[in-house]
Amino acid sequence: MSHTWDPDRYLAYADERGRPFVDLLARVQAETPSVVVDLGCGPGNLTALLADRWRGASVTGIDSSPEMIAAAREIEGIDWEVGDLRDWVRPDPLALRAPVDVLVSNATLQWLPEHLDLLPGLLDRVRAGGWLAFQVPGNFDEPSHTTRTELAAREPYAEHTRDARVPTSHGPDDYARVLLDLGCEVDAWETTYLHVLSGPDRVFDWVSGTGARPTLQALPDDLRPLFEDEFRALLREAYPADASGRVIMPFRRIFVVARKAQ
C-alpha cells in the first residue's frame, strides 16, 4: 500500500532525528572520497552534511518520495534523484553506475522487510576499500510501535490497515555477521537515546511523521480521527508527562559501518 511523506512534519524533530546520522558519520573514516551516495535521503538536510565534510566529492541523494526530493532540491550543490533503494541491488549490465566510495543509508532500510538480504547487493555498488554505513531504528518493541500495531488490528480499523507498511529491523550482530562473511571490516553498535519532548501529544506528533504514517494514511477519512484519538490516549498512558509537562521517550537505534575489502 502506497503512502506519502510530509517533509515539514518530518523536520519537526530535525535535531533529534539528525543526531544518529552525525554519530554514524563520525565512524566513517573515508578521507577523500570521489563519489558519495545517500540512499533514503529524505528532505536532504542531513545529506548536506556529507557535502560539507567531503567538499571535493560528487554527492547524490536518492529517495523514493517525490515530496522529500522536492524539498531536498532547495539545497544546492547536490544531485537529487527520485529512486527506489532496491534498484541498487539489481544487475547493472551496462555499468552505468560509478562505483561508490561512501554509501550511506539513514533510517531507511527498516521499511524493506528483506533488507538483510539486500546488503550483499548494496556492498557490490561500493568500490574496493570503500564504506557502507547505515542506521536503523531498533525500538519496535516500544509502546510507540506496539500500541499502534494493537490498535490497528482492532475493528473497525483492521480491514483498512492490514496491508499498511510497518518498519522492522534486526540486531547489530545480525548485520555484522552478514558483512563479516562478505569480507568487510565491521563496526556495529547500538545506542538508546532519551528524547525529552514537551507539549501535549508530542509522542504522537513524532510517530505520525514516521513509523505510524502508513497506518494513518491507510485509514479512510471518516475513521482516521477516531483512530488518532484512541492512539493519542494510549500513547499518553504509555508515556506519562511529568509535573513540568515533559515526556522522556527512549529510542534505540542500531548502527553499522563496514569497510569493503581492498
Side-chain angles (χ1 to χ4, degrees):
M1 179 176 294
S2 62
H3 61 277
T4 61
W5 294 106
D6 182 341
D8 292 333
R9 181 176 284 269
Y10 182 85
L11 288 170
Y13 292 103
D15 289 344
E16 291 87 349
R17 299 193 200 280
R19 182 177 169 189
F21 185 89
V22 174
D23 292 346
L24 177 72
L25 196 59
R27 305 292 278 270
V28 178
Q29 301 302 311
E31 295 181 358
T32 56
S34 298
V35 179
V36 177
V37 174
D38 184 1
L39 292 177
C41 64
N45 57 309
L46 298 176
T47 314
L49 300 179
L50 302 175
D52 287 342
R53 175 171 174 180
W54 294 300
R55 294 184 178 273
S58 168
V59 178
T60 301
I62 300 170
D63 201 283
S64 62
S65 166
E67 296 84 4
M68 288 293 197
I69 291 297
R73 286 187 171 131
E74 298 295 321
I75 303 172
E76 298 180 351
I78 297 172
D79 294 324
W80 305 106
E81 299 177 11
V82 176
D84 191 319
L85 180 151
R86 287 166 290 195
D87 290 338
W88 278 69
V89 302
R90 294 180 179 136
D92 184 16
L94 300 180
L96 297 177
R97 299 188 189 96
V100 178
D101 297 295
V102 179
L103 183 58
V104 176
S105 184
N106 183 63
T108 297
L109 290 173
Q110 74 274 7
W111 290 107
L112 304 173
E114 75 280 19
H115 69 261
L116 198 66
D117 296 329
L118 299 181
L119 295 182
L122 291 176
L123 191 66
D124 284 344
R125 299 300 181 191
V126 177
R127 188 187 308 276
W131 300 79
L132 170 64
F134 60 90
Q135 175 269 128
V136 291
N139 66 331
F140 301 119
D141 58 353
E142 290 289 329
S144 55
H145 289 276
T146 59
T147 56
R148 181 207 67 232
T149 301
E150 292 165 3
L151 182 59
R154 301 175 191 168
E155 295 300 341
Y157 312 123
E159 65 176 296
H160 305 286
T161 61
R162 63 172 54 96
D163 294 325
R165 294 177 71 185
V166 292
T168 186
S169 65
H170 302 273
D173 53 327
D174 297 311
Y175 298 116
R177 287 191 184 95
V178 171
L179 292 166
L180 286 168
D181 287 346
L182 293 170
C184 295
E185 299 175 12
V186 180
D187 185 6
W189 71 98
E190 62 182 69
T191 298
T192 298
Y193 298 88
L194 297 179
H195 296 306
V196 180
L197 310 178
S198 299
D201 295 323
R202 300 304 281 173
V203 177
F204 174 83
D205 291 344
W206 180 294
V207 300
S208 63
T210 51
R213 188 168 179 82
T215 299
L216 295 174
Q217 290 195 335
L219 292 163
D221 292 343
D222 60 330
L223 280 182
R224 190 178 304 115
L226 179 62
F227 183 95
E228 290 181 346
D229 288 345
E230 291 192 60
F231 192 22
R232 284 189 176 96
L234 290 169
L235 290 174
R236 285 195 296 268
E237 182 179 352
Y239 299 93
D242 63 18
S244 300
R246 295 172 303 205
V247 170
I248 296 178
M249 184 181 73
F251 201 124
R252 174 176 174 253
R253 292 186 183 267
I254 298 163
F255 301 80
V256 180
V257 174
R259 189 173 192 191
K260 189 172 180 177
Q262 295 277 6

